């Protein structure tokens, strides 16, 4: 563990906090630059979507008082930050006495499970395909087929999701149309339940994988081409090492490191993409509660759920940053 | 590969006539005539032009609700109620009487508009910041690098969802500008990295030795060489911006008064168009967006090959 110094860990923690602070401040600041206050905007939206709102003026005044919108801005900002840091998002407006944290707690495991599986699959499949695209021993047919799948890369996961639902759930009826397990099924640790969950998660995971693996394939291919030109590869070949050994010990081992850094950078868009996929599939994750909250103007839930996802992304990046020195022995953060 | 020097160019008789052709060896032998790049540009131009010129041939008022019969299928198809498609509405209509053809004609250029505005703003900021970071260095570099490293990891869609759900009325330009708030880090990082490597390269040292001013080095030596990267980051940004806009629109947070492709998908999903087998309702905007993204991908791949000759060689 000699690679870790207090300074390095403190610096990474600082970046983690800075990420959350910037995101939270942008969320707070921008709507306040726009004309009108958030509460009136919410009432306006309610009345435009659901007819007249009785006593709108009174509600606005009451909420302004309750949320302290009459206080000076710096006071509001400090209170807002304090609430976020304690993960106190208040109560859901649509399901009133339920705290937002409870709603998020129910949805979060589904999102994390799906995300973990889908992203891991995309990363490994993508890097594997990228590596064999460059490797000299790969049959020409495989090399010709891979780029065709890359078309999916350019399409947002939300469009892939709609397409997959139509073909595999609606037309062929191989997979369920929506949800993360059959309605009325007991949540338990049985094979029946687990297989139902996997069956329901296949299409959502597939839409994330299809759309994202190509990114890794392209990146890996570029890195492999660069590493391929290095002298030590020629030396390894000249030594008569087996081609496969050269591939995974020399080429892949060196080419994959920047891919792991790229992983941290794309995580944010991956999370965003998956949230939309969950919404399209009616998957019981964060995407679904965010959409339900948007429809019912449940602002505390929108804010709480989005903020949780931002924190989780930043946390994942932090974990990746901290494990990177273990993967890449050349990097030592002692100096920092 | 690395050790086999390309000596063929020196040994051939062509070398003798080199000075005469110094400017360009062959007009058609330029990396800019990359097939992927051209195909992508052509695809996007076709979509954009059919959107822009379509307005002269088709009544775009039909893109608003109540202007046409409901739930008609495209020509040649029959819907679940047994109605056949008519030439009055060749691509069909949806359940509040919007004409799909008119929606496509109005919606596609709107997506381009968001992409161009958000990417333009994001890229301008990115080029300025990336240039400053790479060229000035020191504290400025530290701050800019830290900010872009941090911002790039934020799931911007989440932030945009919260912001847009708080805003009273969002129009296309506002949405594009909000998206641009998160569009600068990628170009900043890219440009900074390129400027750093170019600053240390031979021709910049030459320029410095021959007494060129800092400004001259920046704008006459480095900036022209950054062109492929600036273009590539513009395309990447536009893709990301359209993606974010589609996400917001499909969640029902897009502009309410203007027809958009994502908004059409939102209405289709909300009205269970999938279960009612009204495939044209969600399928046409999906297809249109897919074509736009494929066009952008082709352009991006083309730029990659232009900027990275090793990639170009290996793809042949």
């Amino acid at each position: 563990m000699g690679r870790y110094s207090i300074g390095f860990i403190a610096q990474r923690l600082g970046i983690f906090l800075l990420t959350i602070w910037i995101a939270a401040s942008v969320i707070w600041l921008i709507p306040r630059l726009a004309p009108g206050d958030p509460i009136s905007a919410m009432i306006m939206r309610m009345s435009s979507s659901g007819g007249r709102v009785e006593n709108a003026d009174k509600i606005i005044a009451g909420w302004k008082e309750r949320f302290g919108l009459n206080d000076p801005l710096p006071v509001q900002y400090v209170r807002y930050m304090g609430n976020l840091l304690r993960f106190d998002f208040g109560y859901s407006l649509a399901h009133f006495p339920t705290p937002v944290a409870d709603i998020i707690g129910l949805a979060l495991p589904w999102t994390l499970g799906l995300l973990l599986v889908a992203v891991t699959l995309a990363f490994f499949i993508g890097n594997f395909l990228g590596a064999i695209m460059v490797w000299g021993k790969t049959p020409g047919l495989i090399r010709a087929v891979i780029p065709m799948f890359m078309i999916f890369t350019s399409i947002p996961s939300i469009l892939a999701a709609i397409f997959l639902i139509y073909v595999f759930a609606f037309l062929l009826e191989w997979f369920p149309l929506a949800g993360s397990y059959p309605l009325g099924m007991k949540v338990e640790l049985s094979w029946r339940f687990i297989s139902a969950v996997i069956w329901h998660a296949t299409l959502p995971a597939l839409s994330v994988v299809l759309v994202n693996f190509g990114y890794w394939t392209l990146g890996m291919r570029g890195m492999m081409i660069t590493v391929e030109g290095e002298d030590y590869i020629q030396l390894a070949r000249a030594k008569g090492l087996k081609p496969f050994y050269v591939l995974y010990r020399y080429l892949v081992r060196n080419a994959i490191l920047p891919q792991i850094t790229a992983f941290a950078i794309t995580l944010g868009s991956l999370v965003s993409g998956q949230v939309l996929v969950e919404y399209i599939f009616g998957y019981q994750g964060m995407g679904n509660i965010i959409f339900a909250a948007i429809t019912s103007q449940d602002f505390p839930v929108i804010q709480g759920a989005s903020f949780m996802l931002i924190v989780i992304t930043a946390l994942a990046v932090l974990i990746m940053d901290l494990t990177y020195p273990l993967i890449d022995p050349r990097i030592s953060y002692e100096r920092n | 590969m690395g050790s086999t020097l390309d000596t063929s160019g020196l040994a051939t008789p062509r070398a003798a006539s080199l000075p005469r052709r110094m400017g360009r060896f062959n007009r058609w032998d330029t990396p800019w005539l990359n097939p992927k790049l051209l195909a992508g540009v052509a695809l996007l131009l076709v979509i954009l032009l059919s959107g822009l010129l379509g307005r002269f041939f088709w009544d775009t008022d039909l893109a608003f609700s109540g202007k046409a019969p409901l739930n008609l299928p495209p020509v040649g198809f029959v819907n679940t109620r047994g109605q056949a498609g008519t030439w009055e509405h060749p691509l069909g209509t949806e359940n509040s009487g919007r004409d799909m053809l008119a929606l496509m004609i109005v919606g596609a250029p709107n997506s381009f508009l968001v992409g161009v505005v958000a990417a333009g703003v994001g890229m301008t900021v990115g080029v300025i910041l990336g240039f400053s970071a790479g060229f000035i260095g020191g504290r400025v570099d530290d701050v800019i690098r830290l900010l872009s490293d941090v911002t790039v990891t934020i799931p911007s869609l989440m932030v945009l969802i919260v912001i847009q759900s708080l805003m009273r009325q969002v129009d296309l330009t506002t949405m594009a500008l909000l998206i641009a708030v998160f569009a600068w880090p990628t170009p900043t990082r890219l440009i900074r990295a390129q400027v750093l490597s170019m600053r240390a390269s031979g021709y910049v040292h030459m320029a410095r030795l021959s007494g060129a001013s800092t400004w001259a080095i920046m704008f006459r030596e480095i900036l022209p060489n950054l062109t492929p990267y600036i273009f590539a980051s513009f395309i990447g940004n536009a893709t990301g911006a359209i993606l974010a806009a589609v996400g917001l629109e499909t969640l029902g947070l897009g502009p309410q008064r203007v027809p958009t492709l994502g908004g059409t998908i939102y209405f289709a999903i909300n009205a269970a168009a999938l279960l009612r087998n009204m495939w044209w309702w969600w399928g046409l905007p999906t297809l249109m967006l897919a074509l736009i993204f494929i066009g952008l991908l082709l352009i991006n791949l083309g730029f990659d090959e232009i900027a990275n000759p090793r990639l170009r060689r290996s793809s042949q």
Side-chain angles (χ1 to χ4, degrees):
Chain A
M1 288 289 133
R3 291 195 197 102
Y4 291 105
S5 63
I6 302 286
F8 167 65
I9 294 173
Q11 182 206 5
R12 295 290 124 172
L13 271 176
I15 287 178
F16 168 71
L17 293 176
L18 187 65
T19 313
I20 293 172
W21 178 68
I22 288 181
S25 301
V26 168
I27 289 176
W28 185 84
L29 188 66
I30 290 182
R32 277 165 184 77
L33 297 176
D37 61 280
I39 300 292
S40 317
M42 213 151 71
I43 299 282
M44 286 280 284
R45 267 173 179 264
M46 272 184 179
S47 56
S48 69
S49 62
R52 245 179 70 76
V53 175
E54 294 292 330
N55 303 326
D57 292 344
K58 267 193 186 163
I59 296 179
I60 292 176
W63 275 359
K64 271 190 173 172
E65 190 61 45
R66 192 173 169 281
F67 289 111
L69 289 182
N70 299 325
D71 293 339
L73 283 179
V75 176
Q76 287 184 38
Y77 180 70
V78 170
R79 187 183 305 128
Y80 160 84
M81 281 294 176
N83 286 342
L84 285 190
L85 285 182
R86 281 181 283 120
F87 292 108
D88 174 10
F89 306 120
Y91 297 95
S92 160
L93 298 178
H95 312 273
F96 176 62
T98 322
V100 172
D102 287 5
I103 296 180
I104 294 174
L106 283 178
L108 199 54
W110 292 103
T111 294
L112 289 183
L114 186 64
L115 187 70
L116 206 62
V117 172
V119 166
T120 315
L121 278 178
F123 185 75
F124 280 103
I125 296 174
N127 280 314
F128 174 74
L129 293 180
I132 63 171
M133 261 175 97
V134 177
W135 193 42
K137 303 273 174 221
T138 312
L141 183 67
I142 294 180
R143 274 197 225 194
V145 168
I146 295 172
M148 280 190 229
F149 281 97
M150 306 284 278
I151 287 291
F152 277 102
T153 317
S154 57
I155 297 170
S157 50
I158 192 168
L159 303 184
I162 297 174
F163 176 74
L164 289 177
I165 290 191
Y166 182 67
V167 174
F168 293 105
F170 182 78
L171 290 183
L172 298 172
E173 298 185 8
W174 289 356
F175 292 97
L177 275 163
S180 30
Y181 58 92
L183 276 177
M185 196 178 209
K186 229 172 75 192
V187 181
E188 57 188 1
L189 214 67
S190 68
W191 172 240
R192 208 168 72 89
F193 179 71
I194 293 172
S195 60
V197 167
I198 294 175
W199 189 50
H200 278 74
T202 308
L203 283 188
L206 191 62
S207 18
V208 177
V209 171
L210 267 184
V211 164
N212 286 305
F213 85 88
Y215 174 80
W216 304 111
T217 307
L218 275 185
M220 189 64 176
R221 176 169 164 262
M223 278 314 298
M224 287 281 288
I225 290 172
T226 311
V227 177
E228 181 95 1
E230 298 287 343
D231 290 340
Y232 56 77
I233 301 293
Q234 288 223 323
L235 177 66
R237 295 225 166 96
K239 281 201 298 190
L241 294 177
K242 290 206 177 67
F244 189 68
Y245 188 78
V246 176
L247 175 71
Y248 77 84
R249 279 302 293 191
Y250 286 73
L251 283 164
V252 173
R253 187 78 177 81
N254 282 298
I256 204 156
L257 291 169
Q259 291 286 84
I260 294 169
T261 320
F263 197 84
I265 294 168
T266 49
L267 202 67
S269 57
L270 271 170
V271 170
S272 306
Q274 175 170 329
V275 163
L276 293 170
V277 167
E278 286 178 6
Y279 143 62
I280 298 282
F281 278 96
Y283 200 81
Q284 271 127 309
M286 304 292 271
N288 223 17
I289 63 169
I290 288 177
F291 177 66
I294 290 171
T295 318
S296 58
Q297 308 293 333
D298 196 347
F299 182 70
V301 174
I302 302 179
Q303 188 178 41
S306 306
F307 185 71
M308 261 332 272
L309 287 173
I310 292 167
V311 170
I312 285 169
T313 313
L315 197 63
V317 172
L318 174 70
I319 294 171
M320 254 183 273
D321 271 349
L322 290 180
T323 42
Y324 198 70
L326 298 180
I327 306 166
D328 190 350
R330 289 170 301 185
I331 300 243
S332 155
Y333 290 115
E334 285 291 345
R335 274 170 297 142
N336 295 336
Chain B
M1 249 170 81
S3 59
T4 45
L5 277 170
D6 190 10
T7 48
S8 53
L10 297 172
T12 49
R14 278 240 318 271
S17 59
L18 212 59
R20 193 169 55 83
R21 305 193 186 186
M22 220 31 187
R24 174 150 294 165
F25 296 93
N26 172 0
R27 185 176 291 273
W28 300 105
D29 185 27
T30 141
W32 290 95
L33 282 175
N34 182 294
K36 284 174 188 155
L37 178 69
L38 294 182
V41 170
L43 184 57
L44 289 190
L45 270 184
V46 166
I47 296 173
L48 187 62
L49 284 182
S50 54
L52 293 179
L53 298 179
R55 297 159 196 239
F56 298 110
F57 301 100
W58 198 252
D59 181 8
T60 49
D61 271 352
L62 291 173
F64 296 95
S65 57
K67 302 280 180 174
L70 314 183
N71 302 334
L72 281 181
V75 169
F77 294 93
V78 178
N79 67 10
T80 41
R81 274 192 252 150
Q83 292 166 305
T86 59
W87 282 108
E88 304 239 303
H89 306 286
L91 295 182
T93 61
E94 41 92 287
N95 83 335
S96 51
R98 297 184 180 92
D99 176 73
M100 290 306 297
L101 178 59
L103 274 178
M104 296 301 105
I105 289 174
V106 180
N110 281 347
S111 287
F112 279 96
L113 179 72
V114 172
V116 168
V117 171
V121 173
M123 197 199 61
T124 312
V125 175
V127 169
I128 294 171
L129 288 182
F131 233 92
S132 323
F135 216 86
I136 301 172
R139 270 287 137 82
V140 178
D141 183 30
D142 288 344
V143 172
I144 292 175
R145 198 185 46 188
L146 181 66
L147 278 183
S148 57
D149 281 0
V150 164
T151 314
V152 86
T153 59
I154 297 175
S156 52
L157 186 72
M158 297 299 114
V159 179
L160 291 170
I161 284 175
V162 184
I163 293 174
Q164 297 233 25
S165 61
L166 274 178
M167 309 258 289
R168 194 183 299 231
Q169 195 47 258
V170 189
D171 56 37
L172 273 178
T173 328
T174 313
M175 182 166 76
L177 291 177
L178 286 175
I179 291 170
V181 171
F182 293 95
W184 59 269
T186 324
T188 302
R189 294 159 59 97
L190 190 84
I191 300 293
R192 174 184 170 273
Q194 289 304 325
V195 170
L196 276 183
S197 79
M198 279 177 196
R199 206 174 58 160
S201 64
Y203 67 89
V204 172
H205 282 306
M206 270 312 273
R208 194 162 284 152
L209 283 179
S210 47
S213 71
T214 310
W215 286 105
I217 294 175
M218 275 167 83
F219 290 106
R220 257 185 246 138
E221 305 289 336
I222 293 184
L223 198 60
N225 285 302
L226 283 176
T227 316
Y229 299 97
I230 292 175
F231 267 115
S233 81
F234 181 81
I235 295 298
N237 257 355
T239 311
I242 298 176
L243 186 63
V246 170
L248 289 168
E249 288 160 10
T250 22
L251 282 168
L253 288 173
Q256 291 95 346
R257 303 234 170 102
V258 222
T260 55
L261 297 177
T264 311
I265 297 177
Y266 164 73
F267 287 122
I269 288 171
N270 250 11
L274 267 164
L275 299 179
R276 292 157 72 188
N277 204 10
M278 291 173 69
W279 51 266
W280 58 93
W281 190 358
W282 56 265
L284 290 172
T286 306
L287 179 72
M288 196 60 112
L289 283 169
L291 289 177
I292 293 177
F293 281 107
I294 290 172
L296 288 167
L297 173 79
L298 286 173
I299 295 181
N300 218 349
L301 292 179
F303 272 131
D304 251 2
E305 289 179 7
I306 290 167
N308 187 351
R310 267 190 193 176
L311 224 51
R312 204 185 314 153
R313 228 174 291 142
S314 80
S315 76
Q316 278 160 5

